Amino acid sequence: MDIRQLTYFVEVAKHRSFTKAALTLHVTQPTLSKMVKNLEDEMEVMLFDRSARQINLTDAGVVVYEQAQKIIHSIDDLSASLYDVMNLKKGKVKIGLPPVISTLFFPTIIAEFQHAYPDVTVILAEDGAKTVERKVYEGEVDLGFVMLPVDQEKFDVVPFVDQEIKLLVHESHPLACHDVIDLIRFKDDPFLLLSKEFTLNSRTIEFCISEGFTPKIAYESSQWDFIVGMVEKNLGVTLMPKLICDRVKDGPFKMISLTHTFPWRLGIILAKNRYVPYVSREFISLVEKLPIV
């Protein structure tokens, strides 16, 4: 058994397909099939049930898959550690983040980081917070920016931003004259939300329910500026962090504080018990020093 056999097996298990795994690994399907068959012969177990149209892991395959991932991560960590020792400030950092965060903060962050470390490549993967969590946990990205809280048994967390959630309405709304108001007074209004892959979506719904009503969701979008544009056309109301509301204060909007609200806390997350590359540590250190808000 060698690391290449385990790597090939893991790719097949991820895709549930020899064809897709072969394309990902840039090898021929017969080569991949032979490699996996050799692994099965060495271990004297069947790893895949090939009887159905889509292959599935056997019970033994599930056990090997879980352990193989740990072995591969350990090898990756070893390589990353050696690279850091030899190259120090060179390398790359892969960051997962929702579009809201990338728009608000990352032009400043990237400019500062590239000035300090011009030889480091920064790769951004924009996804909803739930997808970012999965990518960090599975090692697809080095670190992620998400709305807190997260499962602290899975992640180490570095607090980033703590802001209040505000209500954003069109200036012509009958209740726009209020500076502070109970959210339940908007129970009959259409609500505009970030789409379901964003944590703010579920938090908004949960908060509305805790205030005594289920929101009537008119539109969902992955882009905060689209939602703000819908408010500008007086097509609904939305809950947004104060920072976003401040950005559009010159438009036909009214930002209203709520009698009861919930925080917009952001944090940098890293997979627990996973090696943190030097460049990732430096990136986090720089972010902590920046006067973001």
Side-chain angles (χ1 to χ4, degrees):
M1 182 193 311
D2 60 35
I3 190 65
R4 188 170 59 161
Q5 286 177 311
L6 293 178
T7 300
Y8 285 11
F9 161 71
V10 166
E11 281 302 316
V12 176
K14 281 182 180 178
H15 292 285
R16 296 290 194 271
S17 165
F18 281 90
T19 303
K20 292 179 180 178
L23 288 172
T24 301
L25 294 165
H26 304 292
V27 298
T28 64
Q29 186 171 333
T31 298
L32 180 57
S33 298
K34 183 179 179 181
M35 191 72 73
V36 173
K37 185 64 169 62
N38 288 343
L39 181 61
E40 290 178 317
D41 291 342
E42 285 184 38
M43 303 187 76
E44 298 182 347
V45 293
M46 189 70 71
L47 298 175
F48 292 108
D49 176 4
R50 299 169 173 82
S51 61
R53 183 174 181 180
Q54 182 182 54
I55 64 172
N56 291 296
L57 288 168
T58 62
D59 291 342
V62 170
V63 173
V64 175
Y65 178 63
E66 292 175 353
Q67 296 303 316
Q69 285 185 302
K70 293 178 182 178
I71 293 170
I72 292 169
H73 282 316
S74 294
I75 297 296
D76 288 343
D77 287 349
L78 173 60
S79 298
S81 298
L82 290 174
Y83 185 89
D84 282 350
V85 169
M86 296 172 65
N87 297 276
L88 292 179
K89 296 180 182 180
K90 294 185 177 181
K92 63 183 178 181
V93 56
K94 291 183 278 189
I95 303 165
L97 70 166
V100 173
I101 298 175
S102 66
T103 302
L104 293 175
F105 305 112
F106 264 69
T108 298
I109 292 173
I110 295 298
E112 291 290 335
F113 189 76
Q114 295 278 261
H115 177 74
Y117 304 103
D119 294 324
V120 174
T121 301
V122 180
I123 302 170
L124 302 181
E126 291 188 290
D127 294 288
K130 295 175 184 176
T131 301
V132 171
E133 287 184 36
R134 178 187 61 77
K135 286 187 173 183
V136 171
Y137 186 68
E138 294 180 357
E140 292 185 39
V141 296
D142 299 308
L143 54 93
F145 287 73
V146 298
M147 186 175 177
L148 303 177
V150 294
D151 186 346
Q152 296 203 19
E153 291 189 1
K154 291 183 176 180
F155 303 105
D156 290 319
V157 177
V158 179
F160 174 53
V161 169
D162 190 341
Q163 282 221 328
E164 185 179 341
I165 291 290
K166 300 281 190 177
L167 181 69
L168 191 67
V169 305
H170 192 273
E171 62 184 5
S172 66
H173 193 285
L175 298 175
C177 56
H178 294 269
D179 293 322
V180 182
I181 199 169
D182 290 331
L183 185 61
I184 196 169
R185 297 188 64 180
F186 293 83
K187 63 183 178 63
D188 295 322
D189 282 87
F191 274 72
L192 310 167
L193 305 183
L194 285 170
S195 40
K196 289 181 177 62
E197 65 266 27
F198 295 87
T199 305
L200 189 55
N201 176 290
S202 58
R203 296 282 170 79
T204 297
I205 294 171
E206 290 166 4
F207 178 68
C208 290
I209 292 172
S210 73
E211 290 294 293
F213 70 100
T214 299
K216 299 174 181 177
I217 302 171
Y219 298 96
E220 293 181 340
S221 172
S222 62
Q223 302 296 324
W224 69 266
D225 50 349
F226 175 80
I227 293 175
V228 170
M230 298 292 278
V231 176
E232 184 177 10
K233 298 301 181 183
N234 203 16
L235 295 174
V237 303
T238 190
L239 294 177
M240 282 286 175
K242 180 178 180 296
L243 191 60
I244 288 180
C245 295
D246 285 340
R247 283 199 164 204
V248 299
K249 62 186 178 182
D250 294 332
F253 306 102
K254 175 64 183 294
M255 178 174 67
I256 304 176
S257 297
L258 298 170
T259 308
H260 308 105
T261 187
F262 62 99
W264 189 59
R265 293 194 181 102
L266 305 179
I268 305 170
I269 60 169
L270 306 101
K272 227 172 188 46
N273 302 319
R274 186 80 52 79
Y275 171 75
V276 182
Y278 177 80
V279 290
S280 296
R281 296 198 299 269
E282 287 300 301
F283 186 89
I284 293 170
S285 177
L286 180 142
V287 170
E288 288 182 301
K289 294 173 184 175
L290 286 177
I292 300 296
V293 293

